[in-house]
Amino acid sequence: MKADEPTVPRILVLASGSGTNFQALIDASRERDFPGQIVALGCNQPKAFVLERAGQANIETFVVDHRNFGSREEFDAALMAHILRYNPDLIVLAGFMRILTTDFVRAFRGKLVNIHPSLLPKYTGLNTHQRVLDAGDRTHGVSIHFVTEELDGGPVIAQAEISVAAGDTSETLAEKVQQKEHLLYPIVVRWFCQGRIQLGQDQVLFDGQVMEAPMRLPES
Ligand code: GAR
C-alpha cells in the first residue's frame, strides 16, 4: 500500500459450508466504491466449498477444525488467535455453524454480525424452514443482527421477507431466503464499513440514531 492510500475497514468472514453468502460479499467487494476489504476467510470444516471460493478470489484462509479441540473454550481461543492476526474491523458470520462462547462474543462486541434464516425473534436455532412450514406461517425471511451473548438474540439490523406459497418445501424456502440473503448482506456490510451502523447499549444505531425497527427490504 502506498503511504497516501486511505485504509479501508478490514472484513474477516467466518463460514462452515458452501459459502454462497461469502460469494455475494466477494462480488460486492469487487465494485469500485465498496468501502471495505475482505482480508481473510476462517472456516471450521476443512473440506467446505467456501475455502475454494476464497482460493479463487485470492483471499487468505485459515481452518480451525472444531473436532481437534476438547471444549468450546479451547476452540474459540484458537479461533480468536487466528482472527487477531488479521486485526479485523468487522467479523461477518456467513453460515458459521458453531455456537460462540461468551468470551469470544465479548472480545468482538460491536464488530460481529450474523445472518440467520428467519424473521427474528421467531425461530432462533436450527431447521428454521421446516419450523415455518410446520407452524403454517405465511411469511418467512432472513435477519442480520449484531451478535451478543444470547444465541440469535442480538439487535437486528436488517430483514427481508418472503411469502410462503402452498407448495413450498424446506428446500424451496431455503432457496428463496438465500436469494434475499445475497442482496441483504452486502448492503449491511457496506453500511458498517461506512460507519453508518453501530451497536449501541442494546440496540442498533443508524447514523448515530437508535433504529426503532430493523431495516426491511421490500418483498418482491
Ligand atoms: C445461510 O442460509 C445462513 O442463513 C445460514 O446458513 C446458510 C449458509 O449458506 N445460517 C445459519 O443457519 C446460522 N444459524 P452459505 O454457506 O451458502 O452462505
Side-chain angles (χ1 to χ4, degrees):
M1 192 174 72
K2 295 186 206 117
D4 57 352
E5 221 170 274
T7 56
V8 293
R10 299 169 63 79
I11 303 163
L12 186 144
V13 181
L14 295 177
S16 303
S18 153
T20 61
N21 279 286
F22 177 57
Q23 188 66 53
L25 291 170
I26 292 173
D27 295 346
S29 74
R30 291 190 170 129
E31 288 161 23
R32 280 191 61 189
D33 66 342
F34 190 77
Q37 57 168 324
I38 303 175
V39 293
L41 169 83
C43 185
N44 64 307
Q45 296 282 5
K47 291 185 180 156
F49 186 66
V50 70
L51 289 163
E52 286 187 34
R53 294 185 192 271
Q56 278 161 18
N58 279 321
I59 292 171
E60 282 187 39
T61 62
F62 59 87
V63 175
V64 187
D65 187 340
H66 58 280
R67 287 162 290 212
N68 295 338
F69 297 87
S71 69
R72 234 179 245 294
E73 286 70 22
E74 287 168 75
F75 169 71
D76 276 12
L79 186 62
M80 200 184 297
H82 278 278
I83 291 173
L84 289 173
R85 286 194 294 130
Y86 290 97
N87 192 25
D89 299 291
L90 173 64
I91 301 167
V92 175
L93 304 183
F96 187 64
M97 303 308 277
R98 302 297 304 167
I99 294 174
L100 297 163
T101 55
T102 301
D103 281 355
F104 184 98
V105 170
R106 286 200 183 140
F108 297 115
R109 189 178 192 282
K111 293 182 172 185
L112 196 53
V113 293
N114 181 42
I115 191 157
H116 182 76
S118 80
L119 294 173
L120 291 170
K122 291 184 105 176
Y123 310 115
T124 60
L126 298 175
N127 302 321
T128 57
H129 309 304
Q130 190 56 49
R131 287 157 66 202
V132 162
L133 291 172
D134 293 346
D137 290 359
R138 307 289 293 274
T139 56
H140 182 33
V142 54
S143 305
I144 296 168
H145 63 96
F146 277 110
V147 177
T148 59
E149 287 89 337
E150 194 188 334
L151 180 69
D152 299 330
V156 178
I157 303 161
Q159 293 182 315
E161 196 173 306
I162 60 150
S163 320
V164 181
D168 269 326
T169 62
S170 181
E171 288 72 33
T172 59
L173 286 184
E175 222 169 276
K176 287 195 215 173
V177 166
Q178 282 221 325
Q179 281 178 17
K180 296 289 185 185
E181 292 186 346
H182 302 157
L183 293 175
L184 200 59
Y185 228 170
I187 293 175
V188 169
V189 168
R190 267 179 180 271
W191 280 342
F192 187 96
C193 291
Q194 289 165 337
R196 301 195 72 180
I197 51 171
Q198 287 169 301
L199 177 60
Q201 198 69 319
D202 222 348
Q203 349 74 338
V204 179
L205 305 182
F206 193 91
D207 289 345
Q209 304 290 320
V210 172
M211 251 175 125
E212 297 299 341
M215 179 282 208
R216 280 260 174 159
L217 264 195
E219 205 198 319
S220 53

